[in-house]
Amino acid sequence: MTEILEPQTFRVTRADLVRYAGASGDFNPIHWSERIATGVGLPGVIAHGMFTMALVGRAVTTWAGAADAVKEFSVRFARPVPVPDTDEGTEIVVTATVKEVTEDGETRLALTATCNGDKVLSLAQALVRKR
C-alpha cells in the first residue's frame, strides 16, 4: 500500500506577495498589478513561482522533521497561482505520496500542489534522509 502523507495547506494573500517581493527583490508587476497581469494574458495577479516552491518546501520539511533532512527537492511550474485581491486570498494544498524507500532508508516523495483544484506544479519530488 502506498503511504500518503498528511496534506499541508497554505493561505496566500496579496500581502504575502508584497512581503515576498521585498525579500526576494522580484518586483515584477504581474505579482501586484491586476492591470499589468491581465494585460499580458494572465488571469490576474499571480504568486511568484519561487514563493510557491518555498511553500511546498515548507511542507516537505514538516514531513521530514527538519530542513536538513531534505537531500533533494525539485519542481516544474505547470500553472500560475492566481491571488485575488481579497482578505482571504487563495490556498495552496500540498500533498505527498511515498514512492520509494531506498536500501539506505531514504524516502522519495512524489509531491502535488494544487490551487482551486488545479495542479500548479509538475514533476515535483523530494528525497528525504532517514531520521
Side-chain angles (χ1 to χ4, degrees):
M1 184 167 97
T2 302
E3 182 182 0
I4 300 173
L5 304 182
E6 183 71 26
Q8 304 284 317
T9 302
F10 301 94
R11 179 154 310 281
V12 179
T13 65
R14 297 264 179 108
D16 294 319
L17 301 185
V18 170
R19 285 189 284 276
Y20 185 81
S24 70
D26 182 353
F27 294 100
N28 188 320
I30 64 172
H31 303 302
W32 56 267
S33 170
E34 195 80 25
R35 179 180 56 82
I36 298 292
T38 57
V40 298
L42 293 168
V45 167
I46 62 169
H48 302 75
M50 294 303 290
F51 180 61
T52 302
M53 186 177 179
L55 295 176
V56 176
R58 185 186 301 172
V60 172
T61 60
T62 297
W63 292 317
D68 65 351
V70 180
K71 292 184 69 174
E72 296 175 11
F73 175 48
S74 62
V75 306
R76 287 199 182 161
F77 303 109
R79 171 179 309 243
V81 174
V83 181
D85 191 10
T86 63
D87 291 340
E88 296 79 25
T90 194
E91 284 185 342
I92 296 173
V93 179
V94 185
T95 57
T97 304
V98 174
K99 289 311 232 185
E100 172 189 23
V101 177
T102 69
E103 290 179 11
D104 296 334
E106 296 176 337
T107 303
R108 182 158 310 278
L109 301 174
L111 307 167
T112 303
T114 60
C115 180
N116 298 319
D118 294 324
K119 282 180 69 172
V120 297
L121 300 177
S122 65
L123 303 175
Q125 62 180 339
L127 182 65
V128 177
R129 72 173 165 76
K130 183 179 178 180
R131 296 192 284 160

